Amino acid sequence: VTLGKVTGRKNCPLVRSLHQPPPSQSRRFTCPRAAGMMMGPMATTTGEYRAASTTLQVCTSKHDATHTGDGTTLTPKQEVSVHDVTQAVRDAVIASGVRDGSCHLLAKHTTVGLTLNESEARLERDYEKWLLGLAPNEPNRYEHNDLDKRPERPSDLEAIQRNWVNKGLGTVEEFMALEPINAHAHLLASLLGSSLSIPVIDGELAIGQWQSVLMVELDGPRNRTLACSIHGIGD
């Protein structure tokens, strides 16, 4: 996992005003015991508002990532793999200088999922079996895989032209020739979700003892990008 340059700002009056309640608004909360809940001590944070953003680059090859080049040699084979990116996210939080706030992650792909769970070798293999049991990699099951019938509607063609042709990457025909048979990966990504929002408390991700930030590759191997945005109060 490669951490990109962290950029941000601090003590921004406009953004700070959107996050800080007016003086008359109470920061205290009450939790009735009758509801069966208990609330821990409430801590008050003071300091400068900070906002920072970066990207995390993840190579999802199951082999030695140093031999995959810049991505041009990677051939997607619809592999499912789980990648623990917790330390990279922690590094981004430290670099941001945010002490108390939140960290937002977004997978910038339609065949990648994000989840919080235990990072353990055998469980990661269970993920692959379970996910492919939900949406098997069987090309004839899905309409999205009928490449000869795509693009079907004008907006489908417009999307290819906007994201491929207009960027000088090739023609529509060349795009379709490179399109993988991966409908199942899109469906699984929708089930897992593509974003996470994690509290930051005392400069640390406020996750559970056995929780890790996991990126689930559903159409690998590929080079993937996670957008990371961190907001809150710092020193």
Side-chain angles (χ1 to χ4, degrees), residues 79-157:
E79 293 179 350
V80 175
S81 55
V82 180
H83 304 267
D84 188 343
V85 298
T86 310
Q87 189 56 55
V89 178
R90 282 179 171 143
D91 291 343
V93 170
I94 293 172
S96 74
V98 170
R99 186 175 70 250
D100 292 285
S102 57
C103 175
H104 308 282
L105 295 170
L106 174 70
K108 302 179 68 173
H109 308 278
T110 58
T111 54
V112 168
L114 288 173
T115 188
L116 281 173
N117 216 306
E118 182 177 357
S119 178
E120 192 273 329
R122 299 182 71 86
L123 181 60
E124 291 174 3
R125 294 196 293 272
D126 287 334
Y127 261 109
E128 178 176 2
K129 296 174 185 177
W130 175 64
L131 289 168
L132 292 178
L134 293 175
N137 183 10
E138 299 174 3
N140 295 331
R141 289 177 62 122
Y142 311 103
E143 293 188 37
H144 179 72
N145 293 338
D146 297 332
L147 301 184
D148 59 319
K149 300 177 182 178
R150 295 171 49 195
E152 180 177 294
R153 60 190 180 190
S155 60
D156 298 340
L157 177 59

Side-chain angles (χ1 to χ4, degrees), residues 8-217:
R9 62 185 185 276
K10 65 178 182 178
N11 206 24
C12 175
L14 175 61
V15 181
R16 186 172 68 251
S17 66
L18 298 177
H19 289 261
Q20 292 183 344
S24 60
Q25 180 176 334
S26 174
R27 290 179 179 267
R28 292 180 147 317
F29 298 88
T30 59
C31 181
R33 293 189 177 221
M37 297 183 292
M38 294 288 290
M39 185 177 69
M42 178 68 69
T44 301
T45 298
T46 60
E48 294 183 339
Y49 175 82
R50 292 173 179 264
S53 60
T54 186
T55 57
L56 310 179
Q57 304 295 328
V58 185
C59 176
T60 64
S61 173
K62 292 184 178 180
H63 307 290
D64 190 345
T66 60
H67 297 305
T68 62
D70 61 0
T72 57
T73 59
L74 291 176
T75 302
K77 302 176 182 177
Q78 289 67 63
E79 293 179 350
V80 175
S81 55
V82 180
H83 304 267
D84 188 343
V85 298
T86 310
Q87 189 56 55
V89 178
R90 282 179 171 143
D91 291 343
V93 170
I94 293 172
S96 74
V98 170
R99 186 175 70 250
D100 292 285
S102 57
C103 175
H104 308 282
L105 295 170
L106 174 70
K108 302 179 68 173
H109 308 278
T110 58
T111 54
V112 168
L114 288 173
T115 188
L116 281 173
N117 216 306
E118 182 177 357
S119 178
E120 192 273 329
R122 299 182 71 86
L123 181 60
E124 291 174 3
R125 294 196 293 272
D126 287 334
Y127 261 109
E128 178 176 2
K129 296 174 185 177
W130 175 64
L131 289 168
L132 292 178
L134 293 175
N137 183 10
E138 299 174 3
N140 295 331
R141 289 177 62 122
Y142 311 103
E143 293 188 37
H144 179 72
N145 293 338
D146 297 332
L147 301 184
D148 59 319
K149 300 177 182 178
R150 295 171 49 195
E152 180 177 294
R153 60 190 180 190
S155 60
D156 298 340
L157 177 59
E158 290 170 3
I160 297 174
Q161 291 173 331
R162 180 177 64 253
N163 296 315
W164 182 266
V165 178
N166 293 349
K167 293 182 178 181
L169 298 175
T171 64
V172 173
E173 291 74 21
E174 289 171 332
F175 172 83
M176 293 307 305
L178 294 173
E179 178 72 347
I181 306 297
N182 63 354
H184 70 291
H186 289 284
L187 299 175
L188 292 174
S190 296
L191 287 177
L192 289 172
S194 59
S195 64
L196 290 173
S197 182
I198 305 171
V200 174
I201 300 176
D202 291 333
E204 296 282 348
L205 294 175
I207 56 179
Q209 179 179 358
W210 292 99
Q211 285 182 319
S212 293
V213 183
L214 303 179
M215 191 198 81
V216 185
E217 169 66 78

